[in-house]
Each structure stands twice: as structure tokens, then as C-alpha cells.
Amino acid sequence: MNIRQSVGATRYLGERTPRKENARLLTGRGQFVDDVRVAGALHIAFARSQVARGRIVSIDTSAALDLPGVQAVYTQADFADVPVHFLNYFFTPILAPVTLLADGRVACVGEAVAMVIAESRAIAEDGAALVEIVIEEETPLVTLADAKRGPPVHPGFDDNIAAEMGDEDSILALKDMLKGAAHVVSQRIAHQRIAQSPMENRACLAIPDGAGEMTIHLGCQSPHLAARVLAMSLGMEPAQLRVIAKDVGGGFGLKNIPWREEIATVVAARKFGRPLKWIEDRFEALTASSHAREQDITLTAGFDAEGHLLGAYAEYDSNNGAWPMGEDANIAVHMFMWPAYKLKAYGFVTRGWYTNTMGLGGYRGPWAMESLIREVLLEKAAKQIGIDVIEIRRRNLVTAADQPFTSTLGITVDDITTDACLEKLVAHLDLPKFRKEQAEARKQGRYLGIGFAAYIEPTGSAGSMQPMTGETAQVRIEPTGKVVATLSTHSQGHGTATTMAQVIADRLGVKYEDVAIYEGDSALGAFSPGAGGSRQAVIAGGACWTAAENLADKVRTVAAHVSNASVEAVSIVDGMVHIDGAPEMSRSLREIAEIAYGEPHRLPPGMASGLESQFRYQPPPMTMTSAAHACVVEVNPDTGFVKILRWCSAEDCGTVINPGIVEGQIAGGLAQAIGQVLLEDMPYDAKGNPLAATFKDYLMPAISDVPDFEYLHANTPSQTTGGMRGVGEGGAIVGPPTLVNAIADALAPFGTLGETITLPLTPTRVLGVIEGRDLGGHGETAAAVVEEAPAPVAAAPVAAARIDGSYAMTMKTPMGDQAMTGHFRTDGSALSGELESPEGSQGFTGSVEGNRLKFDLKVEKPMKITLKYDLVVEGDSISGKVKMGMFGSSKISGTRV
Amino acid sequence: MSETISRATVAMTVNGRRHSAEADARTGLGEFLREALGYTGTHLACEHGVCGACTVMVDGVAMRSCLMLAVQADGCEVTTIEGLAAPDGTLHPVQQALHEQFGLQCGFCTPGVAITLAAVTRDNPAATVEDMEKAMSGHICRCTGYQGIRRAIRQLAGEVPGPHGGEHA
Ligand code: FES
Ligand code: FES
């Protein structure tokens, strides 16, 4: 890192610089979607299904249309001529047959069935209430257990498996391996469903500007990503859409990509030819916005006698709901469970399941279950093995000496400091003193507990998945000497205008006040996915860093040229350009800018006029942040209430641009973690009704639920330009295990939290542990899981099936459909043949049983893997699956050629 | 339904300026301030009285504008977030404290938080941290984890000096 500033310059990196965004947000001058006024805009309200599953018999819109002020009522039939390709965050198609409005069937309560367009939102809502929807009800599948045994949520699908990865064999192998282990510890966690609940609900204002053109004000996490996804979904050119999102009241993953209602608003505005505004209300936000987190995991780990990890295996299920914003088996849970620990072997099966509930969406640290289950299991194991909870981590964490270290699933870490963060935390806390207090308190009938958790957070991902790219910074010094940067960052509270201005001011040598940041508009800057994956400080920070330094170089070159000095002698400090040893030759940046813009003949020969710099930064593929947290709780044994007494975070997010903003990110995530562990719950009843319809039912953490957080910053620079590491999701990832462990520690005199920990740990559930019996409590229905394996795809025994021949086949993969041709020859029970694909042709041998073909193919690319085909021929059609090791299985179908 | 809803002319003073506009009898005060009068600084985040984002002062009392009808505020003096700073732009001490202590992130809850704290400190200039935290317990903020808001409260109560007066370990 080349620090070019002279001594005496105002440094902004690392300062608690007050936020630029505050001036408007504190004075009521923010511009959230609903604040934007457009002449002639009409308002949208949706009539939604109150039935979880069934066939739509009729939709009667006449009463709604008769209401004065209602201008139109649309159903899916009205959009039938508009092809919409729903995409997930990774630009791959949604597999479920999702449409803008319900198409013939409903698959969850809250699904939009009709759209009412009216002169005011109130009239639109009145109109929506007048739409008569008749549905022939079917029994809904609500829980994961329901999904495993019930008829497919989506007609025509084989089962309710939305996504699947991993391999049962890998679990069997691990079970075998751990047979002789000194200690084998298991833990199951049933995680409740979360409503992301940003304070500003979803919102969209679509303004048809002219033929094929649209300006869209959208509650989103990146205008560029939203514009790109909208354009791809609607078959438009990105330039036909301009997405503006000046202020957005929280995103947290919910607003990753535009979803059904937002896209429907855009489509309807084109169709109706007037600006249309949809502002979601809180009832809709809670019950009909995508949800998150409902999942169930069982992790088993084996240890040697000293507590060293030997191996582990996990079974994981995620409730994807009916219309997930991307079918998801949450492979990231397994990928990020162990890279910070010296685990030798791991096996898993992971699945996402369709149910008749609201679909799965993103939420801060979507893979957070890895830390929750691992850290809870480790403390349970420590107690079982009889070693200290810190000691078990010391024996297993990857240290500096172990790095680079590659996990069993291929994640390499080479600069993590989890162990150092933990030591820092332990040193700060005085654990022996706490243990003494805890023992004293117990004698008085008071139950204190301390919990720890350590983790790494993968941040700043770029270059390995479609939307996760680098960032462009365009920085210029205006003729006035003031600095303007156009960026593709986006803040839903992140304060990117602040942090990016700090980086630019610091690297350029100007005053923070003199840097203006433009962001939040897809028409400005280059493509970036904005907020998502804790990436902006890392990547946009690096882009601003280099763009500003390059611009400083140009200023220095110009100043040297006009002053007849050497470039090395020029420095820029607080907007003044100085020449070493010639204080009388100091000029303001404005003077240099006036030359660069107005008197280009005075520039060095060949130099472009103006003072502009553009740089696109491509960081390393991933940057790891490390942290360890601890919290202290007191559990009231009479009421089951948990009071958090203390919370301490030791995190290493590299170069800290602004500690106030870093701490704000950690704190926000921790408050959400506290909500998840103690309060928040979106339960469904057996009929598929979401039960938390207001903030009186859905308990959000209040100021009284959240203690003061203490922060210990370690600042090990990362390998990125500037050395930043991301910090956006960590609190929400590490918070839950920290708190669960503290509660478990407090309740230790009464026993463990049990084989299954069901979240949230409500007072009723805590009393259940204290009293040693199940006291029930809401949310139990959704959490109860009956293990039942999905029925295997059975091949009908058909005598002397006609198999030999060639088949044109299509394999469905997350990356889209792949075509291939299969040639099969049978000889009794022996099978041979070739598979032809664009990559080439490969021969195989296998077996035949009736009309069922089984064969294996070994491939080398993209990695060594054995593909296990299992196909059934019926007449001229062929169908079945191919298992692709840990990548799960794909469906195959085709016909004889 | 709409055709039978009675309308009324509602007059009120907002941030010292006189306004009057037509409103349905059912129109909430928050909606009226935003839609009819253009004071979009007041945010509606739950519309059922729990989150506090919509808080405004009506005749000096902090009220949830989603739970009050516009017609109920006829003839009243209303202060919204737009009217909290001095006419010359000097921030109200509550705004200043929130600014200095990182008391906001997305800013959606902020107008209500600021109005409530302004009402508490105006009614009782000696309001303690406890008084203010109690008032804050009726506000939901999804972003900040309340840390910056709590520091702002401490600053207002004189318990910590201005910015950077940290309890940071
Ligand atoms: S909008 Fe009024 S309290 Fe939430
Ligand atoms: S700052 Fe976003 S909700 Fe409070």
C-alpha cells in the first residue's frame, strides 16, 4: 500500500466521520419511493388468496370495477400475453411455475390473485376487498414434514424437493468413520420462520416515459441489479429501464431482486400507460413478502478423547415455500460451516422443500445456520467431554500456522484470525471472575450464563457468480475544485456516500466536505449488485481508492508541469497543492482544475483535458472477516425471561473506513440475532395461515431488548486494495449461537436445551427446560418434524421393455437446460452406450432392470466427479435423474429419435 | 365504500404554516400530512400504532399520526420532522445528537424517533436516560440495534460529551 499523503493531511480513513446521508434523513427530506410524486399516478392494491392451496374456480371483478375511482382490475389472464421470465439472484430461472398473479391455482395464503388500479390507495384497497375469488380448497402442506410426505405443491412435479445437494453415501461414510470416536455429539435446531421486516415496506413506482421506456422508483438493494433483472425478465434492453432508488428504508436481502408485485407493477404500468404506484402495507409485508430462515438441521460431530474434531455430518432441510425467490438447498451452510476449523471429513445432504407457505427470500447471512449449529454443538460437546468452551475451540480453530488451510469442501482460507479474535475477547472478559460470580449467583437462585461463538464471514465475493462483480468508481474534480464521484453503490442504511467519500477524500487529499457522491440510479455508473454479500466497503472502497489515487497522480503531474517541479515534490493536502520547498508556489485544487479544464494548452503534451478518473476494481474472489463474540445473560427461573447483561464483539474487518458505520452494521445484525433467538416468529397454522399479521404478533426487538455492545476491533488488512473486509452480515450470523450458548450455560443446572432446540427461545420454552417438560407455545406446529424419506422414483416393472435406440434428452440444471443425446444398447441385464453432449461423446456400461437403466459416467470437468444416471424408458419417452455427487441431482427427460 | 364516505375541510398549522385541504373522514393524520399537504418526512411503517415511525406533535403532544384521523387534528398545531430544526437550518439538539452518535442508518424510523425525543426533552428538560429510553421503547428501528440512539439519548441527558464520547472498549 502506497501512502502518498504528506504529514499534516487530514486523514479520514478510520475516523468516525458523521454521515453525509443524515442531512436529508434527519430533516424529513429523504426520498423514499412513496415520497415521489408524479402527475397522474394511480395506485395499486392486490386482492390476495386467503386459501393456502387450491384451484381457482372463479374471479369476479365486477363489483370492484363498479366502484367509483377504480380504473382497472387485472388478473393473470390479462397478463397472459406478457412473457415474464422469473429469475433468481444468480440470473437463473425460477423452477416453480411462478407468474405475476396466481395462474389457475393458488399455492399459499397471501398470493396475489388480482390487481386493482385506482385513483387512491384507499380506493384501490376498497376495490381489492370487492374482488370475489372462489377457490376449490385442497389440503395444504405447511411444514417440512408435510412436504416430505404430501402430494407435490406444484402439479406435474415429481415431489416437493425444490433443490437438493449432497449425498446420503457421504453421511454413511462419516457414520462409519465416527464409530470408534471417543465422543460423538449431536444437535438439532429447528429454526423458526422470519419476516425480514425492513421498516420501509416494498415499494414500486413505475412511470412509462415513452415508447418502451420506463423510469422506476424502486425499494431495492441495487438499482443496477434491479434494472438488469427486470430487463432480463421482461425481454427488454437494460437501457429501456431506469431504476432510481435514492433512499431505501432497509433491505436485508428481502429487496435483493424485484419480485412478483414489483414486476407486476412495471408490467401493468406499461399496459395501462399511466404511472402506477404500489406501496406495500405492513400486513402484506408480514404475511405476503418473502420470508426467511425456516429450516431444520441435525449436525453430528465426532471428537477424539482430547476434544479434537474428527469428522462431522449434517442433514439440512429448508422450507422454500411455494414460490421461493430462487429454489435453495442452502449449500452455503455446508461450505462455510468448517473452513475456520480443522475438520478432517464432512458429509451432508441438504434440501429445499416446496410447501404451501410464502416463498423463501434472502435475509442477512442466509447461510447463518452454519455458525449457529456448529458453535452450539461445540459448547455442548465441551461440556460432554469435560473441557472448557474456549479450550475446545483452541484445539480446533485454524491458526495462523495452519494457513493456507483448505476445508473438506474446498474453501481455502489464508488470512483469517478467528483464534486471535477469540483470545482478544477472552482477555477482555475475565472469564474466571465471571465463573465465580456465576457460582455465587446460583447459590442465590439467580441463573447467569455466558456464551461464545467464533466464525468467519465470507465477504466481497466477486467473479465467481453472475451478479457478484467488481465495482466502478468515476471520480472527477470539477472546474470549481470540488470533487464529485459517481458510484454504483447503494445504501439502504449502509452509509456508502459517507464511507466512499472518506476513502476518496483520504486518498485524494481533499476535504470530506468537498466530496459529493452520486449513487442510487441505474443510469449512473456501471453495473454492480450494490448491497448484498457484505461487499461494498471491500469492492467499491477499493475502486474509489485507486480512482482517487490515479486522479491525485494526474493533479500532481499537472502541478509539476505548470510549476516546473518534479512530480515527487508535489503533494495534495486538504485541497491545496503544494510543492516541496516552495511554499509560495502552493495552489488550490481549483487553480489546477481551471488549467486542466480551461487552459488545456498548459497541460503536459498529450494529456487529456479535465481532471477525471475511472477505475473498475476486481478484488480477490472472496475476502474473509473473522470474529468472536460473547454474551452474558440472566435467566429468570420463575418467568423464563432472558435478560442480556453484556455483549462483547471482537472482530477483524481489516481496514476500518468508519468505526461508527462498522459498529452500526454489527449492532444492527446483533439486534436481529436477538430477535431471532428470543422474539421473532412467523408461525403458520395447519391450514396454512400465517399467524403474525401485525407488529403486536411479530415481536421486533425494541431498545429494551438490546444491551450496550462493546467492540474490540482488530485490523488485519485484507489482500484487497485498501485492506477492507466486509462486515454487513456478521452480527446476524454470530449473534444467534452466542446468545443460545449463553442461555444454555445459564440453564445448565437444569440440564441441556435438549436434543432439539426450537427457536425462538420464548419464556415458555425456557420454562420448559427449567421444568423438564414441554409447555407448548406457539410455533410448535411448524417446527414439529416427522422424519419420512421421500418415496424413491420407482420404476414400473415392464416386461421386455423396448429400450435400444437413441434419445434426445434434456437435463435441467441450475444453470439452465442442457441438451444431450443418449445411445443405449442392452444385452440381457447389461447396458452399454454413449452420451453425446456439446462437450463431446463418452461411452459407458451399466445395468438394465425391466425398463430402468443405471449407469455411471466419470467426468473431469469442471471437477472430478462421478455422475450416476438412473433413467426409466416408457414407450418412446425417457425420464429420470442424474446424481452429481455433492452437487445434488438433476432431472432428465427426453424422447426417442 | 368511497361514494358514501363524507369529506371535510381540515385546517391546521403545520410547522408554523397554515394549511387547509379536503380529507375523507377516514383519512389518517399521517396520510393527510403526506398526501394532502406534502409533508413526506412523516413515515408510515406499520399503520397500526406499534412502530412509532409516524409520530408527530399535535398541540405539543407526541401522537402516532397513523392512529389519529385528520379531522381530529382540525384546528391543531402540528409539528413534523420538517419543522424540528430552526428556520435557519440549525439542527434541533435531538437531531444533532442522532447525527453525531450514528443514531440512524436507513432513516425510515428516524422522524418518529426524533419527534418523540424532542417531545420528551421539551416537556422535561431534565429528562433522564431512563425517561428517554422508556419513550423510545415504543419505537422500532430495524437497522441500528439502538446503539446510536441510546448514545444520542445519553448525549442529550449530558451523560456523554458530544461525538466520539464513546463507551468503546
Ligand atoms: S406507522 Fe404509526 S405507529 Fe407505525
Ligand atoms: S434507521 Fe432504519 S429503521 Fe431505524
Side-chain angles (χ1 to χ4, degrees), chain A residues 51-73:
Chain A
V51 169
R53 177 175 177 135
R55 188 178 64 86
I56 298 174
V57 177
S58 61
I59 307 169
D60 184 352
T61 61
S62 54
L65 281 166
D66 284 347
L67 188 68
V70 169
Q71 302 249 344
V73 181

Side-chain angles (χ1 to χ4, degrees), chain B residues 44-47 49-52 54 64 66:
Chain B
L44 296 165
C46 76
E47 296 175 276
V50 181
C51 76
C54 65
R64 313 220 141 182
C66 70

Side-chain angles (χ1 to χ4, degrees), chain A residues 199 282 695, chain B residues 42-55 63-67 108 138-140:
Chain A
M199 290 313 289
R282 185 57 62 184
F695 277 154
Chain B
T42 298
H43 296 159
L44 296 165
C46 76
E47 296 175 276
H48 53 249
V50 181
C51 76
C54 65
T55 306
M63 299 288 290
R64 313 220 141 182
S65 68
C66 70
L67 292 184
F108 204 76
H139 287 263
I140 299 174

